[in-house]
Structures are given as structure tokens and as C-alpha cells.
Amino acid sequence: MSVSILLLSLLLLIVGAMAQRIAGLGFAMVVSPFLVLVIGPHQGIVLVNLCGVFSSLLIIHHVWKDIRWRPFIWLIIPALIGSLPGSFLANAMPAGPLSVIVGAMVLIALGVTAILTRKGHSLKDTGPHRGVAGLFAGFTNSLSGVGGPVLTAYAELTRWPQRDFAATLQPFFIITGSFSAATKVISDPTTMPVFDWWQWLLLAAAIVIGVQVGNKLAPKVHDKLARRLVLIMAVVGAVTAVVKGVVDTIGG
């Protein structure tokens, strides 16, 4: 990794960790497209998973009291189930077409959600509904490193309060990211990123800096603004997945 690419990676990690602390998600949406482009789709997604886990581990004690454990259980078990086919497809199939499919499905979900919420419709926050959202989020997280947009659509449709939503996502991302990275590396050891020890140290330091800056900014950001930022990042993440998938497919 060249110096310029390393510096840009560190900057993106700082911004991604800041977004994760303030809005509850956004880390993968910020860093995934670039890292996948720089080190390849398979190692890039594993690196995003690992860095996302570390970011959430740094954040979770700040939001522990706001975590809703019952919805978390309903989300996490189906998510782990969904992660298995996602990991298999991520290792076995071309990344381009899969990125297009995942990004398009997320955009459709966000679009339908926006239409329904504007018309005053909502979805009851029940266990089975959470299970479906968790299943798809686990699948997309394992497949592309980005599971947040799916959960954003669900949170909007069920009117899930932003503070509880952001807090509950941290243990979700810790477990799904760890599980996704482990299943990929176990099935194909070459997907584990290879860096010098000092590069790993710099990556970790960038995430720590981002979380610390986010800690300072989080109390100053209103919940409504945070939710708006989440929606914007979800759309950007989905669009990026589609564009990158098209480019990869054409280039391949």
C-alpha cells in the first residue's frame, strides 16, 4: 500500500468512525467502496468487517444504556443465518453483479419506505418483522460489508427512535462483522488482508481518533439530524454499490 493510499485510507477510517459514533452506522458505507477498490473485493470486505467490529467495540460502552436487547435478539439470530449464504456468494461469485443486486434492492427498500412513511403508513415493530430485516441485513453485510441501509429502512418504517436504534446496532455490528469475517477467512484463508504490524496499528489509531471526535460531536447533534444523516449515508452506500458493481461487471 503506497503512502498516499494509506493516508487516504486513514482519513476515511476517521470519518467512518465519526459517522458510526454519531449516527449509529455509516462506517462501512464510507470506507467499503474505497477499500474494496484498493485491495480487492474479498480482502476489502473482510477488512471492512474487522474495522467495523473494532469501531463498534469502542462505541458500545458509550451507548450501553440505550440498547434494546429484545429487538437485538430478534435481529441477530436471523442475521447470522443470512450471513452464511452471503459469505458463500461473496467468495464464490463475481463481486460486480452481486453488488448491483444488493445496492438495487436496498434502494428499492429505501424508496418504498420513503413513500409509505410520507403517506403516513408504518410497519408494526414485531418479532417476525425484525427477523426478516435481520436476515437481509446479515446477508448484505456478509456479501458486501454493508448491512446498515436495510436496517435504516426498517427503522424508518417502524418509527424506531434514533437513539435506541443507534445503540442497538453496535452489538449487532460486532457479532455480524466478526461472524462474517470468520466464515470468509475459514472458507478461504487468502481473504485475510495482509499488512505490516505498523499499518495495522495506524488503521486502529485512525478508528480510535474518529470515535473520540464523534464522542465530542454526538451530544451536539439532534436525533432528527442524525436520522437524516443515516438516510443520506444509506442512499449513498447503496448507489455506490450499484455504480461500483456496474463498473466491475463491465471491466470484468
Side-chain angles (χ1 to χ4, degrees), residues 7-250:
L7 290 175
L8 183 54
S9 299
L10 295 175
L11 178 60
L12 288 173
L13 287 174
I14 291 173
V15 174
M18 287 172 55
Q20 187 85 359
R21 175 63 184 96
I22 294 171
L25 53 80
F27 183 88
M29 299 176 205
V30 172
V31 304
S32 181
F34 177 76
L35 291 181
V36 167
L37 183 64
V38 170
I39 66 175
H42 301 304
Q43 290 192 357
I45 292 173
V46 171
L47 182 59
V48 170
N49 287 147
L50 294 175
C51 290
V53 168
F54 183 56
S55 176
S56 290
L57 282 171
L58 294 174
I59 293 169
I60 192 169
H61 74 278
H62 293 287
V63 299
W64 186 268
K65 67 180 187 303
D66 295 317
I67 297 174
R68 292 178 58 196
W69 291 106
R70 187 183 294 273
F72 165 75
I73 295 298
W74 275 101
L75 288 172
I76 193 61
I77 295 175
L80 294 179
I81 296 172
S83 292
L84 293 175
S87 293
F88 174 78
L89 289 174
N91 282 349
M93 296 184 65
L98 289 173
S99 292
V100 174
I101 294 172
V102 171
M105 291 179 71
V106 170
L107 285 174
I108 291 171
L110 290 171
V112 171
T113 298
I115 293 172
L116 292 176
T117 52
R118 182 170 296 180
K119 291 184 176 181
H121 297 293
S122 62
L123 184 69
K124 192 172 182 181
D125 189 16
T126 64
H129 290 155
R130 293 174 201 147
V132 173
L135 184 72
F136 191 40
F139 177 77
T140 58
N141 180 70
S142 188
L143 181 65
S144 62
V146 181
V150 176
L151 297 176
T152 299
Y154 177 75
E156 277 295 295
L157 204 53
T158 58
R159 308 292 198 272
W160 193 343
Q162 172 61 27
R163 191 174 299 275
D164 293 350
F165 170 66
T168 306
L169 287 187
Q170 302 318 306
F172 180 87
F173 286 140
I174 290 171
I175 294 178
T176 56
S178 300
F179 187 77
S180 176
T183 54
K184 289 189 183 76
V185 174
I186 289 172
S187 63
D188 184 0
T190 64
T191 60
M192 182 65 188
V194 179
F195 297 118
D196 293 328
W197 67 267
W198 59 269
Q199 291 176 319
W200 282 112
L201 191 61
L202 285 177
L203 295 177
I207 296 172
V208 171
I209 292 171
V211 170
Q212 291 303 314
V213 174
N215 285 335
K216 302 292 185 182
L217 296 178
K220 302 176 183 179
V221 178
H222 192 275
D223 285 352
K224 189 173 291 187
L225 175 59
R227 176 55 62 88
R228 199 167 296 166
L229 290 173
V230 166
L231 285 171
I232 292 172
M233 287 187 290
V235 172
V236 171
V239 171
T240 302
V242 172
V243 173
K244 184 184 180 306
V246 171
V247 172
D248 288 347
T249 301
I250 293 175

